[in-house]
Amino acid sequence: MLSAPMVQAQVDPTSSAVSEDSMFEALGTAGTSDAISGRVSIPNKNAGTLIKPDNKNWAGFQRGALPWIFVVALGGMVALLAAFYLIKGRIRVEHGFSGRTILRFSAIERFAHWTLSSTFIILALTGVNVVIGRSVILPLVGEAAFGTMAQWGKLAHNFLAWPFMVALVLIIIFWVAHNIPSKLDLVWIKQGGGLFKKGVHPPAKKFNAGQKVIFWSVVIGGVALSFTGYMMLFPLQAGTPSDWQLYQTIHGLVAAGLSAVIIAHIYIGSVGMEGAFDAMASGQVDENWAKEHHSLWVEEVKAREGQTVAGRTHPAE
Ligand code: HEM
């Protein structure tokens, strides 16, 4: 309510209150960046700004462009991966499984990864529901079911953001040292990661250039989502309503981009590459898989273990 404080003795509420007509008139004539503001007696002074003409652009973006950005980013990535799978098939372990394994990720690393990934997937699904649920799911399931679903989804989204952030900090601590870009990454990129030519296996340490891109996307995108999400949860911290809207816009765009990247990651970490999933399931990978995709890492592990011949190894990493 835009009005002068009602209780001050000297104030005549009728003469100092803003008339609705004059507010609507002001809205009609305001430029796109002019806000219509007044004074409010409640603690949230931001409430003194009546809907800005600008907000129409923001609301139009949230309901118009953003859902399409999601559809194009996620649908486009799925189509791209399907085409890659149909043309190239599954990336095989070229020399076959050796039967010898190497420990690639410890239990605590896998715990951090699965906490991060399970919370991210639920956050992504419940977030997508906020953006396109009304137009896609509501007509399919009806208002009652959609209402319940959206309510639980919103709760899950707000609460799972916290374990997501904890897991994000853990993977940064565990893996940042292995993800510093190096000259070796240029060789890997030049050879297309060996994805397009048989027999080509560019050397890589623990993480190759492609994985570094995934890691930094998750870190930068995850921090951006966490920060903007926090601001949306606590609007009084966010500054003006325009700042809040900016955070929401950034949150939506980063979520669409990171979700597309993660779809590619899930593909390559499961059906896309033979032998990869084991790294995050048991933590043990086949030695031939490791030599083909992370040859320098295998050498490092063996040197640390004092082994020069092939054998079952259990490095401390
Ligand atoms: C069902 C879903 C998922 C599967 C099957 C999966 C699988 C894997 C595998 C197998 C690895 C190890 C690759 C290696 O040994 O080099 C890995 C690494 C990783 N995962 Fe996932 N993952 C999933 C979801 C996610 C999600 C949702 C995130 C983040 C939000 C994530 C973030 C990472 C990161 C940052 C790494 C290290 C960098 C890399 O290897 O690309 N993962 N994942």
Side-chain angles (χ1 to χ4, degrees):
M1 171 72 92
L2 288 175
S3 68
M6 302 287 282
V7 285
Q8 286 174 20
Q10 319 86 314
V11 175
D12 169 0
T14 329
S15 72
S16 56
V18 182
S19 89
E20 259 184 31
D21 278 355
S22 62
M23 281 195 301
F24 284 121
E25 210 169 286
L27 267 180
T29 55
T32 50
S33 58
D34 299 332
I36 313 297
S37 301
R39 280 181 295 126
V40 287
S41 54
I42 57 172
N44 180 8
K45 297 301 169 206
N46 287 335
T49 301
L50 184 70
I51 268 187
K52 289 163 59 178
D54 250 1
N55 285 356
K56 287 187 189 144
N57 299 337
W58 165 77
F61 175 77
Q62 293 294 325
R63 293 192 203 119
L66 191 61
W68 282 109
I69 291 174
F70 266 86
V71 170
V72 170
L74 307 191
M77 184 54 85
V78 170
L80 214 67
L81 293 170
F84 184 83
Y85 183 77
L86 289 175
I87 297 166
K88 301 292 295 180
R90 196 172 195 209
I91 301 165
R92 299 277 173 198
V93 178
E94 218 167 288
H95 296 91
F97 287 107
S98 68
R100 291 181 302 275
T101 57
I102 299 183
L103 181 67
R104 182 146 171 81
F105 294 111
S106 63
I108 181 81
E109 285 175 298
R110 282 176 279 138
F111 169 76
H113 173 269
W114 288 123
T115 305
L116 184 79
S117 49
S118 52
T119 50
F120 180 88
I121 290 169
I122 299 173
L123 287 166
L125 291 175
T126 51
V128 165
N129 186 45
V130 170
V131 180
I132 57 174
R134 274 167 69 115
S135 12
V136 177
I137 302 172
L138 174 66
L140 295 176
V141 299
E143 274 182 8
F146 181 73
T148 312
M149 200 185 103
Q151 196 184 357
W152 282 105
K154 182 78 186 85
L155 267 178
H157 201 87
N158 290 355
F159 282 98
L160 289 177
W162 302 97
F164 170 81
M165 287 189 261
V166 173
L168 184 64
V169 171
L170 288 179
I171 68 137
I172 294 175
I173 295 170
F174 294 152
W175 295 339
V176 73
H178 298 289
N179 280 286
I180 309 297
S182 76
K183 278 190 184 150
L184 207 63
D185 298 328
L186 294 178
V187 179
W188 192 92
I189 292 166
K190 263 189 207 150
Q191 298 188 7
L195 292 180
F196 304 97
K197 243 190 191 166
K198 243 184 166 229
V200 175
H201 299 292
K205 293 194 175 184
K206 178 141 182 166
F207 292 117
N208 59 41
Q211 290 176 298
K212 288 181 185 177
V213 170
I214 302 283
F215 176 82
W216 287 111
S217 304
V218 169
V219 171
I220 296 167
V223 168
L225 287 171
S226 305
F227 175 73
T228 51
Y230 178 87
M231 288 304 185
M232 286 194 289
L233 266 183
F234 302 102
L236 289 181
Q237 310 265 326
T240 65
S242 307
D243 294 336
W244 192 92
Q245 290 167 356
L246 180 68
Y247 292 134
Q248 197 191 41
T249 305
I250 296 173
H251 198 81
L253 290 174
V254 174
L258 187 57
S259 301
V261 169
I262 289 300
I263 290 175
H265 168 73
I266 293 175
Y267 168 79
I268 206 83
S270 56
V271 287
M273 180 186 276
E274 188 177 34
F277 188 76
D278 297 337
M280 277 302 167
S282 64
Q284 301 278 345
V285 289
D286 190 88
E287 204 172 282
N288 281 355
W289 178 90
K291 280 181 187 159
E292 286 174 18
H293 300 293
H294 301 277
S295 54
L296 300 176
W297 171 72
V298 177
E299 281 171 24
E300 275 173 19
V301 168
K302 297 225 167 197
R304 217 176 308 142
E305 291 281 303
Q307 287 192 27
T308 47
V309 284
R312 194 180 165 86
T313 60
H314 292 281
E317 211 166 347

